[in-house]
Amino acid sequence: MTASDAHRLAMIAGQLKVNRVNDDRTLDAIKAIPREKFVPAAYRGVAYVDEDLPIATDRYLMEPMVFARLALEAGIGSGDTVLDVGCGTGYSTAVLARLAESVLAVESDPDLAKSAESKLAALGVDNAAVIQASLPHGAPDQAPFDVIFLNGAVEVDPGGLIAQLADGGRLVCVRKHKGTSRAHIVRKTDRVWGGRDLFDAYTPVLPGFEAAPAFEF
């Protein structure tokens, strides 16, 4: 067992299982993906710490506990199609691809999109693809999706993405609203959608989902 393997198991035991992530499918998917390969070289030694890690200017790899709980709450089945919004270097896509039938990852940063493609290919992930596009735009031409996973927080309603959900679909994200920051799930049924908060969570806001600056006199 390598040091990274040991750190990954320690992360699962000390960060995930103690925070209500006890689903075997979710844990096995996370256990199978080497998180250290998706962060810059300077951060590989701390790839499994319980905090967001920078991967580019104003972009982060989500904290393991928040990521794992969102993936669990999404209830991804083996026949589901997933839209992974803001995939960064592709870590989330690699994990979600082990849970779903297929994953389409959207990344707005061209360098991150190329990195994600390269890393997914190197790991042999053959049921995922990466496209470069605006994150709020998503991938309407490939919709509908059973699950939409946002790799970060939103300060505005992601209505354009909700419209891309299939009937029975779920969207998960971290929602910042009126001074609170909580994991959030949206469910769509018969063209009607409703959301609810899940647990307190913090992660940086994704590009394109920032609230407009408030006017100050």
Side-chain angles (χ1 to χ4, degrees), residues 63 65-66 173-176 180-183 199-203:
E63 176 187 343
M65 185 277 287
V66 177
C173 64
V174 172
R175 181 173 179 252
K176 292 190 173 184
T180 65
S181 183
R182 297 190 175 103
F199 56 92
D200 290 341
Y202 175 82
T203 195

Side-chain angles (χ1 to χ4, degrees), residues 81-83 102 104-106 129 131 133 137-146 164:
T81 58
V82 177
L83 180 67
S102 63
L104 179 62
V106 177
I131 61 172
H137 181 73
D141 292 344
Q142 284 76 38
F145 300 95
D146 299 301
Q164 297 173 38

Side-chain angles (χ1 to χ4, degrees), residues 3-164:
S4 292
D5 292 336
H7 291 157
R8 193 176 314 122
L9 293 176
M11 176 195 73
I12 289 170
Q15 297 178 44
L16 307 190
K17 289 186 176 181
V18 297
N19 280 293
R20 303 182 183 181
V21 183
N22 289 298
D23 172 68
D24 287 340
R25 288 186 73 241
T26 304
L27 293 175
D28 287 346
I30 292 171
K31 188 186 302 182
I33 302 302
R35 183 177 166 92
E36 71 276 7
K37 294 187 182 296
F38 293 87
V39 298
Y43 291 94
R44 286 174 188 163
V46 292
Y48 295 97
V49 298
D50 55 344
E51 60 183 60
D52 302 295
L53 294 178
I55 53 174
T57 303
D58 296 326
R59 294 298 300 277
Y60 297 85
L61 188 63
M62 191 182 290
E63 176 187 343
M65 185 277 287
V66 177
F67 169 75
R69 286 200 64 182
L70 284 176
L72 176 61
E73 294 287 351
I76 302 169
S78 58
D80 284 346
T81 58
V82 177
L83 180 67
D84 187 24
V85 178
C87 71
T89 53
Y91 173 75
S92 56
T93 306
V95 174
L96 299 177
R98 297 189 70 88
L99 297 170
E101 180 175 356
S102 63
V103 181
L104 179 62
V106 177
E107 178 48 58
S108 57
D109 183 301
D111 291 332
L112 289 178
K114 289 178 182 177
S115 177
E117 285 186 325
S118 174
K119 294 179 187 301
L120 293 170
L123 288 177
V125 180
D126 59 5
N127 63 332
V130 182
I131 61 172
Q132 184 190 338
S134 161
L135 304 187
H137 181 73
D141 292 344
Q142 284 76 38
F145 300 95
D146 299 301
V147 173
I148 299 179
F149 189 100
L150 276 71
N151 281 279
V154 301
E155 294 177 327
V156 296
D157 287 336
L161 295 178
I162 292 171
Q164 297 173 38

